[in-house]
């Protein structure tokens, strides 16, 4: 599941519009809509979106052989 789909699902769960999320993160709804269409977000943007959605975002790498996370 891509990040864009996850964000859209959380928007529904939070009963929040795309326009409201865009306002909270300081961008236009058009720009946010384009990013969702392309599913193209920077790590910084994902943290900002998570904060606006009252969520935590944790981008991590997990070693497959040891389970160690970075």
């Amino acid at each position: 599941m891509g990040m864009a789909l996850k964000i859209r699902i959380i928007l529904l769960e939070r009963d929040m519009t795309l326009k409201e999320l865009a306002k909270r993160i300081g961008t236009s709804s058009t720009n946010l809509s384009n990013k969702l269409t392309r599913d193209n977000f920077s790590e910084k943007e994902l943290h900002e979106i998570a904060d606006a959605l009252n969520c935590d975002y944790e981008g991590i790498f997990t070693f497959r052989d040891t389970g160690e996370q970075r």
Side-chain angles (χ1 to χ4, degrees):
M1 177 184 317
M3 220 26 89
L5 181 55
K6 290 179 184 181
I7 292 168
R8 289 183 189 279
I9 290 169
I10 295 170
L11 283 171
L12 289 172
E13 291 173 346
R14 296 289 194 209
D15 195 29
M16 186 185 297
T17 65
L18 186 67
K19 185 176 181 177
E20 186 178 349
L21 176 59
K23 183 178 179 181
R24 287 184 181 198
I25 63 171
T27 191
S28 69
S29 55
T30 302
N31 185 47
L32 182 55
S33 178
N34 288 338
K35 285 189 162 289
L36 285 166
T37 300
R38 292 187 312 267
D39 201 7
N40 182 18
F41 299 94
S42 70
E43 187 85 6
K44 180 182 176 193
E45 289 168 327
L46 291 171
H47 283 284
E48 290 171 352
I49 290 168
D51 190 46
L53 293 170
N54 195 27
C55 296
D56 292 321
Y57 170 75
E58 298 174 10
I60 58 170
F61 289 96
T62 304
F63 288 89
R64 292 182 184 137
D65 53 349
T66 64
E68 192 174 339
Q69 295 181 332
R70 300 263 189 255

